[in-house]
Amino acid sequence: MHSLPETKIYADGFKLALCTVYNEKAEAIQLRTLWEKQPAILIFLRHFACDACRTHALEIWKSREVYEKKGAKLHFIGNGHPQFMQQFKEMHGLQEASFFTDPKLSAFNAAGFKRGFWIDPGEMHSRGEFLWLATRHAMRKTGSGNVWQLGGVLAICPGGKVTYQFTSQMMGEFAPSGDIPKIVEATEAPDSKKAKQS
């Protein structure tokens, strides 16, 4: 794996706060509203036709209580057309999950997430196969999202401080399950931490 150190924060909280995302009705939402009242865990997906993203989203949603037990809320962010986001939710039984899309990739850029097509050999497709599939997908311009964009995970607390970041270096690379305690800890309110220490 070519992962960055788990504790390295690349995201620009100020720029993230200024980003606009869209819900299934194509209504504009200021990204900062997701963490104004409670900590937010943002799961950035590659695009809404990505098999690996589907698996990742389902695994996280199944374990949402583990992520949200400190009062945080999960939000999934892709970059395709809102119609594809709605189809993605319905197809995979994620209707209750909070989903947004960032077709201009402004939040992806503010987070410092990568672009590329590399994958681990032997996972899903060979690199050559994936490059061919990605190029074909991009040429079709289906609206499901930018196939070259990679994702990651952010934890952001009220006030806009980014307390955790995982940046994917290749397709199919997600925050390790061992990072869940770090993500949960990163979203815990400072008052709760002080109370535990006293």
Side-chain angles (χ1 to χ4, degrees):
M1 290 290 185
H2 306 286
S3 303
L4 297 169
E6 293 87 353
T7 55
K8 184 81 172 178
I9 304 291
Y10 290 87
D12 185 321
F14 179 75
K15 288 182 180 177
L16 279 167
L18 298 176
C19 293
T20 299
V21 292
Y22 299 87
N23 62 19
E24 296 104 307
K25 297 178 182 177
E27 297 168 331
I29 307 291
Q30 293 296 305
L31 194 62
R32 67 176 176 268
T33 62
L34 302 185
W35 59 79
E36 279 181 345
K37 296 181 179 178
Q38 66 185 116
I41 299 173
L42 308 182
I43 312 295
F44 285 80
L45 307 173
R46 290 181 58 249
H47 61 88
F48 295 121
C50 171
D51 289 335
C53 295
R54 177 201 66 213
T55 302
H56 184 46
L58 288 171
E59 285 178 358
I60 289 178
W61 187 242
K62 200 186 308 181
S63 304
R64 61 189 177 278
E65 290 181 5
V66 176
Y67 286 93
E68 296 179 340
K69 69 180 183 180
K70 299 293 185 182
K73 183 166 175 62
L74 279 171
H75 303 281
F76 296 91
I77 301 175
N79 62 71
H81 189 278
Q83 176 187 346
F84 280 84
M85 175 172 58
Q86 191 169 6
Q87 290 174 1
F88 184 90
K89 290 181 69 174
E90 291 173 359
M91 189 179 300
H92 306 303
L94 294 164
Q95 291 92 330
E96 295 180 17
S98 174
F99 265 77
F100 298 93
T101 188
D102 174 27
K104 294 183 180 177
L105 302 176
S106 57
F108 283 84
N109 292 330
F113 291 135
K114 307 284 185 180
R115 290 167 65 84
F117 63 86
W118 294 111
I119 62 173
D120 283 330
E123 295 289 332
M124 297 178 67
H125 305 291
S126 70
R127 289 178 178 169
E129 286 173 335
F130 179 68
L131 180 57
W132 176 77
L133 289 168
T135 304
R136 189 177 68 170
H137 177 88
M139 289 175 67
R140 285 180 179 172
K141 296 183 178 177
T142 63
S144 64
N146 189 309
V147 74
W148 307 111
Q149 181 64 55
L150 299 174
V153 178
L154 298 178
I156 308 180
C157 290
K161 183 178 180 183
V162 180
T163 54
Y164 172 89
Q165 176 160 358
F166 176 83
T167 303
S168 297
Q169 299 296 304
M170 60 188 74
M171 175 191 166
E173 182 181 51
F174 306 118
S177 57
D179 272 11
I180 292 177
K182 295 180 189 176
I183 299 169
V184 170
E185 179 68 21
T187 62
E188 188 174 1
D191 292 342
S192 300
K193 290 182 181 178
K194 286 179 184 175
K196 281 184 181 178
Q197 292 169 357
S198 58

